[in-house]
Amino acid sequence: MSARTLYDKLFDSHVVREENGTALIYIDRHLVHEVTSPQAFEGLKLAGRRLWRINSVLAVPDHNVPTTDRSHGIADPISRLQVETLDQNCTDFGVTEFKMGDVRQGIVHVMGPEQGATLPGMTVVCGDSHTSTHGAFGALAHGIGTSEVEHVMATQCLVQKKSKAMQVRVEGKLGHGVTAKDIALAIIGKIGTAGGTGYAIEFAGSAIRSLSMEGRMTLCNMAIEAGARAGMVAVDETTINYVKGRPYAPRPEQWDAAVAYWSTLHSDEGARFDAVVELKAEEIEPQVTWGTSPEMVIAINGSVPDPAKESDPTKRGGIERALQYMGLEANTPIDQINIDKVFIGSCTNSRIEDLRAAAAVAKGKHVAANVKLAMVVPGSGLVKAQAEQEGLDKIFKEAGFEWREPGCSMCLAMNADRLEPGERCASTSNRNFEGRQGPGGRTHLVSPEMAAAAAVAGHFVDVRLLLN
Amino acid sequence: MQAFTQLNGLVVPLDRANVDTDAIIPKQFLKSIKRAGFGPNAFDEWRYLDHGEPGMDNSKRPLNPDFPLNQARYQGASVLLARENFGCGSSREHAPWALLDFGFRAIIAPSYADIFFNNCFKNGILPITLSAEIVDSLFKAVESTEGYKLVIDLETQTVVTPDSQSYAFEVDAFRKHCLLNGLDDIGLTLQHVDEIKAFEAKRKQAQPWLFN
């Protein structure tokens, strides 16, 4: 057999049937949250359909949950109804759900891997574009719409056409203070937000191999911001060590067979990719977005671009509109931009390693006077508990950060956490679209280290200066 | 799903690249547990001058007169003309639901984000890809011609302009079949129950840990 890519192996091993290039692929794991599932459950009810395989589904409320005191439930009646609808649907259909108040509750893309519900070789879907996160495990994972959520619930399958395969290779050693988030933003800056459209991206190279699972999840999470529905990393010891012992991991008597199979989940030597993008780890610096699309990104020592220097009129118009929305002048050095709020959290950067890294920067310092709110929102109840065990909550609180309950929070501001119009935020989330963190809010995407550094400085600053 | 065969529709231009699904339907409206009723809040932040929340009477809200969807000449439009990477970002199917509820049945753009593109077909909306040059010429024509309509024929895969210029477009055969006939994917897939069951049984044998 000819050399195959990891994507080939994952896709081909799930094809139930194929006709004229359209395949029916089998889905191993279906993660569900409250926003994109109610209409799917309703569709099943109306058609009198059941779930094809109940134990393939795991549900958790995350988008609408409050991150402050939860003893009185959800104040907003519309948010509350959506979460209650998920609870009711899970009861009606027999689906396992980690409800608000359960220590396992958290952002769906943090919860899945944490529970071992995401395993190498799986197909994983969820009605959420950041499902690409799970590809970090050598899985084929991507976001789907609500019609497809219903389709997977009813048939355990998805109608798919195979994507093209792209390899993004990052060789070398990352500098101190440079993270997986910076790799992700640097890649998007290079190929653009549509650069990966139509592709499944495999991240490879020595810099990727040396990332922890948390770092790989951050990277695959952002694959969708490069336009790719799926991102993935080959299985290695890091993957296997992370999975071992988790609640949904293979049982001891299944373990050796599982590991033997997982060890085949990498691109073969000489496998052909439709596109290859290469970056040198040493050249990647801490990144900050300046505009309203993740591709509008620059290194911390750069300046806001000047639209006058752009010759393409559509691009020039885009830069002008972004600068106007962001309230920024062309050519302003990035480290002279003051901020109003800081958000450390989201499915991109709310895992234990992210919180450790941010705490290391914040330790013994204090949030700057001009920063109205700096909040840390752990990705799950278990991340929160782990952080508290390590004393990270104390470090954050002593430095003037708020320490919150787990959920999506101000990444998309569906709950009460949001920016006011005109407020500027250093955010560890994944999208800096207009209004994403609240109408009129201005988002700058950064790593957890860079967000903590901005919090204590009151403006963007090269975290490497604080670490040295 | 509503079938799509032929459409003779008024065109409205949305001259921005990278229009994301957060812009098409902002997050506060995603709290609905229904599929219908998103139309009045399509492009909410661009369309209205105030901040929209669910439950507001949208007919009383101040409209942004500069936004094309609000302009008299584009009222009743069913074809949305857009720029590259339309529908990027969140996978929310509320985006095509909002466009459909507003009255759009077709979109023309040089490129789309994958998930949005896929979601359109599940809801009877035809997303047509034409070259950036053709899209550019359509923008010029729409802006200079009041009442500019296009005839879109899915069967023949053509877009025909008022001056009888015809542009061919590509569409996946399976998606075309479903759209022409208004077919529900689930019903089609369930015709293959035996194959799915056989595949699943084999998988359970080979990788039992996936079924724990």
Side-chain angles (χ1 to χ4, degrees):
Chain A
M1 190 178 282
S2 60
R4 296 194 300 159
T5 64
L6 171 59
Y7 177 62
D8 287 334
K9 293 179 184 181
L10 292 171
F11 190 93
D12 297 350
S13 64
H14 287 85
V15 174
V16 174
R17 69 191 311 278
E18 194 164 0
E19 208 172 307
N20 304 323
T22 299
L24 202 57
I25 64 166
Y26 187 82
I27 301 303
D28 297 310
R29 176 68 67 203
H30 189 183
L31 302 170
V32 167
H33 65 76
E34 79 277 20
V35 181
T36 55
S37 66
Q39 298 87 351
F41 280 117
E42 186 191 33
L44 291 182
K45 282 181 181 169
L46 288 174
R49 289 178 173 134
R50 306 299 302 165
L51 296 186
W52 180 283
R53 185 158 70 83
I54 292 170
N55 74 355
S56 69
V57 189
L58 259 185
V60 68
D62 56 4
H63 286 60
N64 282 278
V65 299
T67 60
T68 49
D69 178 25
R70 291 177 171 179
S71 55
H72 302 295
I74 304 174
D76 174 357
I78 314 177
S79 282
R80 189 168 64 234
L81 176 63
Q82 198 163 56
V83 172
E84 286 171 356
T85 302
L86 178 67
D87 294 348
Q88 189 61 50
N89 282 326
C90 289
T91 303
D92 292 349
F93 285 87
V95 170
T96 301
E97 180 196 4
F98 301 141
K99 293 186 185 180
M100 209 169 75
D102 188 314
V103 72
R104 296 167 295 184
Q105 181 268 333
I107 305 171
V108 65
H109 308 307
V110 176
M111 177 278 287
E114 192 171 71
Q115 291 299 318
T118 302
L119 295 173
M122 271 185 166
T123 41
V124 181
V125 295
C126 174
D128 193 289
S129 60
H130 291 110
T131 309
S132 57
T133 308
H134 307 264
F137 289 81
L140 177 57
H142 54 71
I144 56 178
T146 297
S147 294
E148 291 174 319
V149 168
E150 185 180 339
H151 189 275
V152 174
M153 284 176 168
T155 70
Q156 210 60 39
C157 291
L158 200 58
V159 179
Q160 281 285 290
K161 279 179 90 83
K162 200 168 174 182
S163 305
K164 292 178 283 182
M166 177 187 287
Q167 185 190 51
V168 175
R169 201 161 57 231
V170 189
E171 298 287 356
K173 195 168 179 301
L174 285 178
H176 191 44
V178 183
T179 70
K181 181 66 162 284
D182 302 302
I183 300 179
L185 288 170
I187 291 167
I188 297 165
K190 187 178 169 101
I191 70 173
T193 49
T197 302
Y199 289 95
I201 297 180
E202 180 180 347
F203 299 100
S206 54
I208 307 301
R209 294 258 69 82
S210 56
L211 289 176
S212 66
M213 284 316 295
E214 284 86 347
R216 295 178 190 183
M217 283 189 258
T218 299
L219 190 58
C220 290
N221 174 277
M222 298 280 289
I224 184 66
E225 308 315 330
R229 288 180 78 172
M232 63 195 75
V233 176
V235 175
D236 61 9
E237 261 183 51
T238 305
T239 326
I240 292 166
N241 291 339
Y242 181 98
V243 169
K244 194 164 192 177
R246 294 185 182 265
Y248 287 80
R251 290 194 286 266
E253 73 275 14
Q254 300 167 331
W255 182 255
D256 290 346
V259 170
Y261 173 61
W262 295 346
S263 303
T264 67
L265 297 175
H266 54 80
S267 290
D268 296 330
E269 190 71 36
R272 202 189 66 81
F273 289 87
D274 300 291
V276 176
V277 174
E278 295 180 66
L279 281 84
K280 290 192 175 72
E282 289 81 3
E283 292 175 3
I284 300 174
E285 300 191 84
Q287 305 281 308
V288 182
T289 64
W290 52 265
T292 52
S293 163
E295 70 187 20
M296 294 174 163
V297 65
I298 198 157
I300 177 64
N301 46 22
S303 297
V304 174
D306 190 341
K309 291 178 187 156
E310 176 59 57
S311 52
D312 178 329
T314 302
K315 281 188 186 157
R316 186 165 61 238
I319 296 173
E320 284 166 350
R321 186 155 37 232
L323 293 190
Q324 190 189 9
Y325 180 86
M326 294 297 288
L328 290 173
E329 295 289 331
N331 305 312
T332 306
I334 296 292
D335 61 7
Q336 284 178 22
I337 300 172
N338 286 336
I339 57 163
D340 304 302
K341 286 186 174 167
V342 176
F343 171 61
I344 297 176
S346 87
C347 58
T348 312
N349 280 128
S350 64
R351 298 178 182 84
I352 190 68
E353 182 184 279
D354 301 316
L355 303 190
R356 284 178 192 143
V361 175
K363 190 171 186 176
K365 301 189 179 70
H366 202 276
V367 171
N370 62 304
V371 176
K372 290 182 251 182
L373 172 71
M375 60 195 289
V376 184
V377 183
S380 71
L382 288 168
V383 169
K384 181 170 185 260
Q386 170 80 28
E388 288 174 354
Q389 205 184 339
E390 295 178 18
L392 304 184
D393 58 324
K394 285 194 191 67
I395 294 173
F396 283 121
K397 284 190 269 191
E398 280 168 17
F401 288 81
E402 291 193 11
W403 179 247
R404 297 288 189 90
E405 299 295 325
C408 301
S409 182
M410 208 162 70
C411 171
L412 86 167
M414 265 188 86
N415 69 351
D417 308 332
R418 64 188 66 171
L419 298 180
E420 295 300 319
E423 280 184 341
R424 190 179 299 288
C425 183
S427 178
T428 66
S429 54
N430 39 57
R431 289 189 176 133
N432 50 350
F433 299 156
E434 287 184 20
R436 172 80 179 180
Q437 293 193 290
R442 294 162 172 165
T443 304
H444 296 266
L445 303 176
V446 288
S447 71
E449 286 89 330
M450 284 288 285
V456 299
H459 55 84
F460 292 106
V461 62
D462 190 338
V463 67
R464 294 171 296 189
L465 303 174
L466 297 184
L467 291 170
N468 289 339
Chain B
M1 185 180 78
Q2 205 180 338
F4 185 108
T5 49
Q6 206 188 49
L7 176 69
N8 181 6
L10 185 69
V11 185
V12 59
L14 185 60
D15 196 0
R16 293 185 185 210
N18 301 312
V19 171
D20 58 77
T21 54
D22 275 78
I24 297 173
I25 183 80
K27 81 277 293 179
Q28 61 269 35
F29 305 107
L30 270 49
K31 296 176 186 180
S32 167
I33 56 173
K34 301 291 173 202
R35 273 175 196 260
F38 294 100
N41 300 110
F43 302 106
D44 198 272
E45 287 183 18
W46 295 342
R47 198 162 145 204
Y48 299 97
L49 294 170
D50 64 346
H51 169 64
E53 282 292 334
M56 287 169 84
D57 181 352
N58 294 298
S59 65
K60 297 201 170 116
R61 295 175 58 200
L63 293 170
N64 173 6
D66 298 331
F67 191 59
L69 267 66
N70 291 332
Q71 292 163 3
R73 59 182 286 197
Y74 298 123
Q75 295 313 298
S78 56
V79 180
L80 182 64
L81 182 64
R83 295 287 186 185
E84 65 261 24
N85 200 27
F86 188 82
C88 61
S90 158
S91 62
R92 59 189 68 169
E93 199 162 318
H94 312 66
W97 294 339
L99 295 176
L100 185 69
D101 201 53
F102 182 88
F104 290 116
R105 294 301 313 281
I107 309 170
I108 299 175
S111 59
Y112 301 85
D114 284 342
I115 303 178
F116 173 81
F117 186 74
N118 199 34
N119 283 340
C120 283
F121 284 98
K122 313 285 182 192
N123 291 283
I125 297 177
L126 175 61
I128 296 170
T129 308
L130 293 177
S131 74
E133 292 73 34
I134 296 172
V135 169
D136 214 42
S137 70
L138 290 175
F139 265 100
K140 291 195 177 90
V142 170
E143 279 154 17
S144 63
T145 320
E146 196 145 338
Y148 190 87
K149 284 181 150 188
L150 289 170
V151 176
I152 296 167
D153 191 317
L154 178 55
E155 183 62 54
T156 60
Q157 298 180 212
T158 52
V159 175
V160 181
T161 67
D163 53 3
S164 302
Q165 172 87 43
S166 179
Y167 300 113
F169 61 88
E170 295 293 316
V171 60
D172 171 72
F174 178 72
R175 285 170 164 157
K176 177 178 175 178
H177 172 70
C178 290
L179 207 47
L180 278 174
N181 298 290
L183 294 177
D184 164 16
D185 270 4
I186 296 179
L188 289 175
T189 299
L190 288 176
Q191 293 173 0
H192 307 296
V193 164
D194 293 343
E195 281 169 88
I196 302 170
K197 283 186 174 162
F199 182 92
E200 190 168 53
K202 239 171 37 193
R203 195 156 179 76
K204 196 165 181 176
Q205 186 85 34
Q207 298 180 47
W209 57 86
L210 295 173
F211 295 78
N212 284 348

